[in-house]
Amino acid sequence: MARVSSTSNIFPTGRDDITGQFGLIWQVLKEPLIVPVLKLLVVVCLGMSIMLFIERVYMGIVIVFVKLFGRKPNKMYKWEPMKDDIEVGNSAYPMVLVQIPMYNEKEVYQLSIGAACGLSWPPDRIIIQVLDDSTDPAIKSLVELECQRWASKGINIKYEIRDNRKGYKAGALKEGMKHSYVKQCDYVAIFDADFQPEPNYLWRTIPFLVHNPEIALVQARWKFVNSDECLMTRMQEMSLDYHFTVEQEVGSATYAFFGFNGTAGVWRISAVNEAGGWKDRTTVEDMDLAVRASLKGWKFVYVGDLKVKNELPSTFKAYRYQQHRWSCGPANLFKKMAIEIVKNKKVSLWKKCYVIYSFFFVRKIVAHIVTFVFYCVVLPSTVLVPEVSVPKWGAVYIPSIVTLLNAVGTPRSLHLMVFWILFENVMSLHRTKATFIGLLEVGRVNEWVVTEKLGDALKAKLPAKATKKPRIRIGERLHLLELCAGAYLFFCGCYDFAFGKNRYYIFLFLQSIAFFIAGFGYIGTFVPNS
């Protein structure tokens, strides 16, 4: 019996020894290393929070003045409707090129081509150019057939392909500009494959370019046709509405700068050429062109009340790829162009500061990093290291004000604010990772994955599969980064609940649940396998 008793005590003693060793290592490292590093991170994160807070308040003040004084584009710039000229006929209207870049867009190609061909403009003064980079022969045949169908109706539509995908979208647009018939065009309107402009789109945008020779770009707002599809698309709508309602509006109204959104915009072709044309050095070719054109002294106009319908990514996989591209690209472009912007002599010091500090540094780098590092790493870590504390104004007041200012763009979704905060924190993990990849130019820095569009495919697919259980591959649904972040936050929440005094555990438990939901793939629309 004594021997059995002795054996039974071996494992508890072993576990106690291991726990004690970890505790000893923790105590040895905490004071000289962990505490100073964590204190430094708190100071850095508080500094970034203040920068973001000032930026949001500034834009809030500007947008209030814009609304109060009615600084609409047609009042800031000359705008007159295009009129017929009996003597010269349709030649009084400028020649417009409409480019539709696409890649295996089986679900939406008909919508985009149909909308472009439906634009109201003198038929002999418009050319529709479909730039098809599809690698699926069946889809290429469908797109070509659709172009032929519209051509048979008298539409001047060109179906253009190339033998490689070099440069991705930027390469396709650049190649499209080389065709001889483009030389007769004055302006180029660009629409991604899921965008559907209204027939009067050109009538509302072209006059800005015709009557104001200093304007290079007229950008329209996006209108989301599937924002109510699921909770994830509602969250995206809240984030993007702030971008369009505030960021774009402020940049346009103050004659400062705003980035081209890559679609739903009209460019003056001479400005594109002067800026150096399309470049594929980053995954944000649209922003690259806009910055270079701005440095040449060109102005941009944002028309917020002109909306172009499009589709939000509704699967988590598609959204993650999109956010990687949108976060990595700007950071990489900032690295490549910062010195060039500083040395530029054609624009004012104010504009340089605005582009470098406000547009790039605060919005494209600081906003991503502080969201994840502060709220998902540093703040939870202070629970484990009580020697380090975060002032209430930094942990509660500033984040609350910034969140409220961000949410004003979508009043109809204010009741979803808590879900939005948790979702944005989850996505900040990928945005921060992508930002560092862009700054350091490593790994997937130039990875371009076309955002998947579903169109009406999901609605047509689900009834047919209703009697069958969709096949789920575990590897496709599990996301280890989110699961690890969720586990860390849950551990910190449990520790704070048991031993802490900060009472962060409510936030930590909620945030860990959000990470777990994303980690197990229960977010967005799930598309059954064929």
Side-chain angles (χ1 to χ4, degrees):
M1 293 296 293
R3 186 177 298 176
V4 174
S5 174
S6 141
T7 305
S8 66
N9 288 330
I10 289 176
F11 294 104
T13 303
R15 286 197 296 267
D16 290 343
D17 287 344
I18 293 172
T19 304
Q21 288 175 0
F22 275 118
L24 182 61
I25 294 172
W26 172 255
Q27 291 301 324
V28 169
L29 292 178
K30 190 167 71 167
E31 286 298 328
L33 181 63
I34 296 174
V35 171
V37 170
L38 195 55
K39 283 184 177 179
L40 177 61
L41 285 173
V42 168
V43 172
V44 172
C45 287
L46 288 176
M48 289 193 292
S49 294
I50 292 171
M51 293 166 65
L52 188 61
F53 171 75
I54 293 172
E55 173 74 8
R56 291 295 188 262
V57 170
Y58 158 73
M59 287 195 290
I61 293 171
V62 172
I63 203 67
V64 168
F65 275 94
V66 168
K67 299 301 181 184
L68 286 176
F69 294 99
R71 286 178 63 84
K72 295 185 177 181
N74 55 359
K75 293 183 179 180
M76 295 171 59
Y77 297 95
K78 184 179 180 181
W79 189 95
E80 294 177 0
M82 303 293 295
K83 297 179 181 178
D84 293 330
D85 190 318
I86 299 176
E87 295 183 2
V88 298
N90 284 345
S91 59
Y93 296 93
M95 196 74 177
V96 179
L97 175 70
V98 178
Q99 290 185 315
I100 310 174
M102 58 176 58
Y103 172 74
N104 292 339
E105 309 287 359
K106 182 180 180 181
E107 312 300 347
V108 294
Y109 75 93
Q110 287 182 308
L111 295 175
S112 58
I113 294 174
C117 292
L119 287 169
S120 174
W121 196 253
D124 59 336
R125 306 300 293 172
I126 185 172
I127 302 174
I128 311 296
Q129 187 185 64
V130 178
L131 304 169
D132 190 10
D133 269 1
S134 298
T135 53
D136 187 328
I139 296 176
K140 290 180 75 169
S141 298
L142 289 172
V143 175
E144 185 176 14
L145 190 63
E146 183 70 8
C147 292
Q148 291 173 355
R149 189 172 72 84
W150 282 102
S152 66
K153 296 181 180 181
I155 301 297
N156 189 0
I157 185 169
K158 309 288 186 181
Y159 176 72
E160 306 289 0
I161 60 174
R162 51 188 185 140
D163 57 7
N164 62 75
R165 287 192 66 215
K166 183 181 178 181
Y168 303 107
K169 179 181 174 181
L173 293 171
K174 184 177 181 179
E175 195 69 25
M177 298 297 288
K178 293 179 180 179
H179 296 281
S180 57
Y181 55 82
V182 175
K183 294 179 181 179
Q184 59 186 305
C185 298
D186 304 291
Y187 311 112
V188 55
I190 301 169
F191 300 102
D192 282 350
D194 58 316
F195 277 72
Q196 305 162 53
E198 295 296 329
N200 67 345
Y201 176 87
L202 294 177
W203 294 107
R204 295 189 61 184
T205 54
I206 296 297
F208 282 110
L209 296 161
V210 170
H211 300 303
N212 303 275
E214 74 276 18
I215 293 177
L217 166 69
V218 181
Q219 174 72 60
R221 181 173 176 167
W222 299 359
K223 179 181 179 182
F224 311 112
V225 297
N226 65 332
S227 58
D228 291 326
E229 184 170 325
C230 61
L231 187 58
M232 192 184 79
T233 53
R234 287 290 291 271
M235 303 299 98
Q236 291 179 65
E237 181 189 39
M238 291 180 72
S239 300
L240 288 170
D241 274 353
Y242 177 82
H243 169 70
F244 288 110
T245 304
V246 180
E247 290 179 345
Q248 298 282 85
E249 198 77 64
V250 168
S252 180
T254 57
Y255 303 99
F257 171 80
F258 65 87
F260 174 44
N261 293 319
T263 178
V266 186
W267 278 92
R268 187 185 301 272
I269 292 179
S270 60
V272 174
N273 294 333
E274 185 184 346
W278 295 101
K279 293 185 178 182
D280 59 2
R281 55 182 175 173
T282 70
T283 57
V284 283
E285 74 296 322
D286 44 10
M287 189 182 295
D288 189 348
L289 176 61
V291 173
R292 285 184 280 114
S294 180
L295 294 180
K296 294 291 184 180
W298 290 98
K299 294 181 179 179
F300 307 154
V301 177
Y302 172 67
V303 187
D305 58 355
L306 176 59
K307 300 178 182 179
V308 179
K309 293 187 292 185
N310 72 293
E311 179 184 324
L312 290 165
S314 56
T315 66
F316 189 45
K317 180 181 178 182
Y319 187 56
R320 284 177 66 188
Y321 278 128
Q322 182 200 68
Q323 292 304 295
H324 174 86
R325 192 172 74 244
W326 286 6
S327 303
C328 178
N332 190 228
L333 182 62
F334 174 67
K335 178 182 180 179
K336 284 180 164 66
M337 293 204 68
I339 302 300
E340 183 181 343
I341 296 170
V342 171
K343 291 182 177 179
N344 184 274
K345 297 180 179 179
K346 285 193 175 183
V347 298
S348 65
L349 180 62
W350 154 250
K351 195 166 189 176
K352 291 181 187 179
C353 292
Y354 183 87
V355 174
I356 290 177
Y357 174 78
S358 182
F359 180 79
F360 272 117
F361 189 63
V362 176
R363 297 186 210 168
K364 309 300 181 184
I365 297 175
V366 167
H368 300 328
I369 294 175
V370 74
T371 302
F372 177 70
V373 175
F374 191 31
Y375 303 113
C376 299
V377 178
V378 173
L379 203 64
S381 297
T382 60
V383 170
L384 307 176
V385 187
E387 294 89 342
V388 181
S389 61
V390 177
K392 188 174 288 187
W393 59 264
V396 179
Y397 300 144
I398 282 183
S400 299
I401 295 172
V402 169
T403 299
L404 287 171
L405 291 173
N406 282 345
V408 297
T410 317
R412 79 183 187 102
S413 298
L414 286 176
H415 63 289
L416 299 174
M417 192 180 300
V418 172
F419 296 101
W420 179 64
I421 293 170
L422 298 175
F423 177 70
E424 283 294 289
N425 287 346
V426 170
M427 293 310 302
S428 70
L429 166 62
H430 296 285
R431 292 171 183 150
T432 300
K433 177 186 172 185
T435 298
F436 280 114
I437 288 174
L439 289 173
L440 300 175
E441 286 195 284
V442 295
R444 298 160 51 197
V445 63
N446 288 317
E447 181 185 54
W448 181 287
V449 179
V450 176
T451 305
E452 180 187 22
K453 293 99 178 177
L454 298 181
D456 295 325
L458 187 62
K459 296 176 184 177
K461 200 176 206 179
L462 286 178
K465 299 286 183 180
T467 57
K468 301 180 181 179
K469 289 185 178 181
R471 292 178 293 172
I472 303 173
R473 294 179 182 175
I474 299 298
E476 293 178 357
R477 296 293 294 264
L478 291 182
H479 305 290
L480 292 180
L481 282 177
E482 285 88 344
L483 292 175
C484 290
Y488 175 70
L489 290 167
F490 185 75
F491 171 74
C492 292
C494 292
Y495 188 91
D496 190 43
F497 181 78
F499 309 109
K501 300 177 181 179
N502 295 322
R503 296 184 180 178
Y504 291 155
Y505 58 84
I506 297 176
F507 162 72
L508 294 173
F509 284 145
L510 289 174
Q511 190 62 69
S512 67
I513 291 171
F515 270 104
F516 283 137
I517 291 173
F520 285 112
Y522 289 99
I523 185 170
T525 300
F526 175 67
V527 182
N529 293 320
S530 301

PDB file of all heavy atoms in Angstrom, residues 33-48 373 378 388:
ATOM      1  N   LEU A  33      12.675  42.810 -17.592  1.00  0.00           N
ATOM      2  CA  LEU A  33      12.394  42.764 -19.029  1.00  0.00           C
ATOM      3  C   LEU A  33      10.944  43.070 -19.383  1.00  0.00           C
ATOM      4  O   LEU A  33      10.665  44.022 -20.127  1.00  0.00           O
ATOM      5  CB  LEU A  33      12.776  41.381 -19.581  1.00  0.00           C
ATOM      6  CG  LEU A  33      12.564  41.172 -21.092  1.00  0.00           C
ATOM      7  CD1 LEU A  33      13.445  42.131 -21.878  1.00  0.00           C
ATOM      8  CD2 LEU A  33      12.862  39.723 -21.479  1.00  0.00           C
ATOM      9  N   ILE A  34      10.027  42.297 -18.862  1.00  0.00           N
ATOM     10  CA  ILE A  34       8.624  42.394 -19.289  1.00  0.00           C
ATOM     11  C   ILE A  34       7.997  43.725 -18.880  1.00  0.00           C
ATOM     12  O   ILE A  34       7.332  44.386 -19.687  1.00  0.00           O
ATOM     13  CB  ILE A  34       7.813  41.208 -18.730  1.00  0.00           C
ATOM     14  CG1 ILE A  34       8.334  39.897 -19.334  1.00  0.00           C
ATOM     15  CG2 ILE A  34       6.331  41.374 -19.041  1.00  0.00           C
ATOM     16  CD1 ILE A  34       7.714  38.656 -18.754  1.00  0.00           C
ATOM     17  N   VAL A  35       8.214  44.146 -17.636  1.00  0.00           N
ATOM     18  CA  VAL A  35       7.614  45.402 -17.163  1.00  0.00           C
ATOM     19  C   VAL A  35       8.102  46.604 -17.967  1.00  0.00           C
ATOM     20  O   VAL A  35       7.284  47.405 -18.443  1.00  0.00           O
ATOM     21  CB  VAL A  35       7.877  45.594 -15.650  1.00  0.00           C
ATOM     22  CG1 VAL A  35       7.450  46.996 -15.212  1.00  0.00           C
ATOM     23  CG2 VAL A  35       7.131  44.538 -14.844  1.00  0.00           C
ATOM     24  N   PRO A  36       9.415  46.799 -18.182  1.00  0.00           N
ATOM     25  CA  PRO A  36       9.872  47.950 -18.977  1.00  0.00           C
ATOM     26  C   PRO A  36       9.352  47.936 -20.420  1.00  0.00           C
ATOM     27  O   PRO A  36       8.946  48.976 -20.945  1.00  0.00           O
ATOM     28  CB  PRO A  36      11.400  47.814 -18.958  1.00  0.00           C
ATOM     29  CG  PRO A  36      11.703  46.997 -17.768  1.00  0.00           C
ATOM     30  CD  PRO A  36      10.564  46.044 -17.626  1.00  0.00           C
ATOM     31  N   VAL A  37       9.369  46.740 -21.035  1.00  0.00           N
ATOM     32  CA  VAL A  37       8.880  46.639 -22.418  1.00  0.00           C
ATOM     33  C   VAL A  37       7.399  46.968 -22.489  1.00  0.00           C
ATOM     34  O   VAL A  37       6.949  47.713 -23.377  1.00  0.00           O
ATOM     35  CB  VAL A  37       9.137  45.221 -22.984  1.00  0.00           C
ATOM     36  CG1 VAL A  37       8.415  45.034 -24.321  1.00  0.00           C
ATOM     37  CG2 VAL A  37      10.631  44.982 -23.163  1.00  0.00           C
ATOM     38  N   LEU A  38       6.622  46.445 -21.552  1.00  0.00           N
ATOM     39  CA  LEU A  38       5.180  46.697 -21.553  1.00  0.00           C
ATOM     40  C   LEU A  38       4.883  48.167 -21.277  1.00  0.00           C
ATOM     41  O   LEU A  38       3.970  48.747 -21.885  1.00  0.00           O
ATOM     42  CB  LEU A  38       4.496  45.809 -20.511  1.00  0.00           C
ATOM     43  CG  LEU A  38       2.968  45.683 -20.615  1.00  0.00           C
ATOM     44  CD1 LEU A  38       2.548  45.222 -22.008  1.00  0.00           C
ATOM     45  CD2 LEU A  38       2.442  44.721 -19.564  1.00  0.00           C
ATOM     46  N   LYS A  39       5.652  48.790 -20.385  1.00  0.00           N
ATOM     47  CA  LYS A  39       5.461  50.232 -20.117  1.00  0.00           C
ATOM     48  C   LYS A  39       5.750  51.053 -21.367  1.00  0.00           C
ATOM     49  O   LYS A  39       5.026  52.009 -21.679  1.00  0.00           O
ATOM     50  CB  LYS A  39       6.371  50.668 -18.977  1.00  0.00           C
ATOM     51  CG  LYS A  39       5.891  50.264 -17.593  1.00  0.00           C
ATOM     52  CD  LYS A  39       6.805  50.810 -16.508  1.00  0.00           C
ATOM     53  CE  LYS A  39       6.264  50.454 -15.112  1.00  0.00           C
ATOM     54  NZ  LYS A  39       7.146  50.963 -14.038  1.00  0.00           N
ATOM     55  N   LEU A  40       6.801  50.678 -22.094  1.00  0.00           N
ATOM     56  CA  LEU A  40       7.136  51.377 -23.343  1.00  0.00           C
ATOM     57  C   LEU A  40       6.019  51.210 -24.367  1.00  0.00           C
ATOM     58  O   LEU A  40       5.631  52.183 -25.038  1.00  0.00           O
ATOM     59  CB  LEU A  40       8.446  50.830 -23.899  1.00  0.00           C
ATOM     60  CG  LEU A  40       8.911  51.409 -25.247  1.00  0.00           C
ATOM     61  CD1 LEU A  40       9.150  52.910 -25.129  1.00  0.00           C
ATOM     62  CD2 LEU A  40      10.162  50.689 -25.745  1.00  0.00           C
ATOM     63  N   LEU A  41       5.488  49.992 -24.481  1.00  0.00           N
ATOM     64  CA  LEU A  41       4.401  49.740 -25.424  1.00  0.00           C
ATOM     65  C   LEU A  41       3.152  50.537 -25.062  1.00  0.00           C
ATOM     66  O   LEU A  41       2.449  51.037 -25.947  1.00  0.00           O
ATOM     67  CB  LEU A  41       4.073  48.245 -25.470  1.00  0.00           C
ATOM     68  CG  LEU A  41       5.068  47.350 -26.214  1.00  0.00           C
ATOM     69  CD1 LEU A  41       4.700  45.880 -26.037  1.00  0.00           C
ATOM     70  CD2 LEU A  41       5.111  47.708 -27.690  1.00  0.00           C
ATOM     71  N   VAL A  42       2.878  50.663 -23.776  1.00  0.00           N
ATOM     72  CA  VAL A  42       1.720  51.458 -23.336  1.00  0.00           C
ATOM     73  C   VAL A  42       1.888  52.908 -23.762  1.00  0.00           C
ATOM     74  O   VAL A  42       0.960  53.532 -24.297  1.00  0.00           O
ATOM     75  CB  VAL A  42       1.543  51.364 -21.806  1.00  0.00           C
ATOM     76  CG1 VAL A  42       0.536  52.418 -21.321  1.00  0.00           C
ATOM     77  CG2 VAL A  42       1.068  49.975 -21.400  1.00  0.00           C
ATOM     78  N   VAL A  43       3.083  53.467 -23.553  1.00  0.00           N
ATOM     79  CA  VAL A  43       3.341  54.858 -23.935  1.00  0.00           C
ATOM     80  C   VAL A  43       3.206  55.044 -25.448  1.00  0.00           C
ATOM     81  O   VAL A  43       2.568  55.998 -25.921  1.00  0.00           O
ATOM     82  CB  VAL A  43       4.757  55.292 -23.479  1.00  0.00           C
ATOM     83  CG1 VAL A  43       5.113  56.668 -24.053  1.00  0.00           C
ATOM     84  CG2 VAL A  43       4.843  55.319 -21.963  1.00  0.00           C
ATOM     85  N   VAL A  44       3.789  54.119 -26.215  1.00  0.00           N
ATOM     86  CA  VAL A  44       3.707  54.197 -27.674  1.00  0.00           C
ATOM     87  C   VAL A  44       2.259  54.091 -28.147  1.00  0.00           C
ATOM     88  O   VAL A  44       1.808  54.866 -29.002  1.00  0.00           O
ATOM     89  CB  VAL A  44       4.561  53.090 -28.330  1.00  0.00           C
ATOM     90  CG1 VAL A  44       4.317  53.036 -29.839  1.00  0.00           C
ATOM     91  CG2 VAL A  44       6.040  53.318 -28.053  1.00  0.00           C
ATOM     92  N   CYS A  45       1.518  53.152 -27.598  1.00  0.00           N
ATOM     93  CA  CYS A  45       0.116  52.957 -28.001  1.00  0.00           C
ATOM     94  C   CYS A  45      -0.755  54.154 -27.604  1.00  0.00           C
ATOM     95  O   CYS A  45      -1.650  54.545 -28.366  1.00  0.00           O
ATOM     96  CB  CYS A  45      -0.434  51.678 -27.383  1.00  0.00           C
ATOM     97  SG  CYS A  45       0.210  50.161 -28.123  1.00  0.00           S
ATOM     98  N   LEU A  46      -0.496  54.726 -26.441  1.00  0.00           N
ATOM     99  CA  LEU A  46      -1.247  55.923 -26.039  1.00  0.00           C
ATOM    100  C   LEU A  46      -0.948  57.081 -26.988  1.00  0.00           C
ATOM    101  O   LEU A  46      -1.846  57.851 -27.354  1.00  0.00           O
ATOM    102  CB  LEU A  46      -0.903  56.309 -24.603  1.00  0.00           C
ATOM    103  CG  LEU A  46      -1.461  55.393 -23.501  1.00  0.00           C
ATOM    104  CD1 LEU A  46      -0.952  55.835 -22.133  1.00  0.00           C
ATOM    105  CD2 LEU A  46      -2.988  55.391 -23.520  1.00  0.00           C
ATOM    106  N   GLY A  47       0.320  57.187 -27.394  1.00  0.00           N
ATOM    107  CA  GLY A  47       0.679  58.218 -28.367  1.00  0.00           C
ATOM    108  C   GLY A  47      -0.039  58.029 -29.686  1.00  0.00           C
ATOM    109  O   GLY A  47      -0.570  58.991 -30.269  1.00  0.00           O
ATOM    110  N   MET A  48      -0.096  56.796 -30.172  1.00  0.00           N
ATOM    111  CA  MET A  48      -0.800  56.511 -31.421  1.00  0.00           C
ATOM    112  C   MET A  48      -2.300  56.749 -31.267  1.00  0.00           C
ATOM    113  O   MET A  48      -2.958  57.230 -32.196  1.00  0.00           O
ATOM    114  CB  MET A  48      -0.528  55.072 -31.856  1.00  0.00           C
ATOM    115  CG  MET A  48       0.895  54.828 -32.342  1.00  0.00           C
ATOM    116  SD  MET A  48       1.132  53.244 -33.209  1.00  0.00           S
ATOM    117  CE  MET A  48       0.900  52.093 -31.860  1.00  0.00           C
ATOM    118  N   VAL A 373      -2.565  45.960 -31.534  1.00  0.00           N
ATOM    119  CA  VAL A 373      -1.513  45.887 -30.517  1.00  0.00           C
ATOM    120  C   VAL A 373      -2.009  46.399 -29.168  1.00  0.00           C
ATOM    121  O   VAL A 373      -1.752  45.776 -28.124  1.00  0.00           O
ATOM    122  CB  VAL A 373      -0.267  46.672 -30.974  1.00  0.00           C
ATOM    123  CG1 VAL A 373       0.781  46.710 -29.863  1.00  0.00           C
ATOM    124  CG2 VAL A 373       0.337  46.035 -32.226  1.00  0.00           C
ATOM    125  N   VAL A 378      -1.553  44.607 -25.659  1.00  0.00           N
ATOM    126  CA  VAL A 378      -1.024  45.378 -24.526  1.00  0.00           C
ATOM    127  C   VAL A 378      -2.025  45.462 -23.383  1.00  0.00           C
ATOM    128  O   VAL A 378      -1.692  45.163 -22.222  1.00  0.00           O
ATOM    129  CB  VAL A 378      -0.608  46.789 -24.985  1.00  0.00           C
ATOM    130  CG1 VAL A 378      -0.216  47.652 -23.783  1.00  0.00           C
ATOM    131  CG2 VAL A 378       0.555  46.704 -25.966  1.00  0.00           C
ATOM    132  N   VAL A 388       2.067  47.452 -14.391  1.00  0.00           N
ATOM    133  CA  VAL A 388       1.840  48.359 -15.528  1.00  0.00           C
ATOM    134  C   VAL A 388       0.345  48.665 -15.616  1.00  0.00           C
ATOM    135  O   VAL A 388      -0.480  47.743 -15.610  1.00  0.00           O
ATOM    136  CB  VAL A 388       2.318  47.727 -16.848  1.00  0.00           C
ATOM    137  CG1 VAL A 388       2.086  48.685 -18.000  1.00  0.00           C
ATOM    138  CG2 VAL A 388       3.782  47.342 -16.754  1.00  0.00           C
TER     139      VAL A 388
END
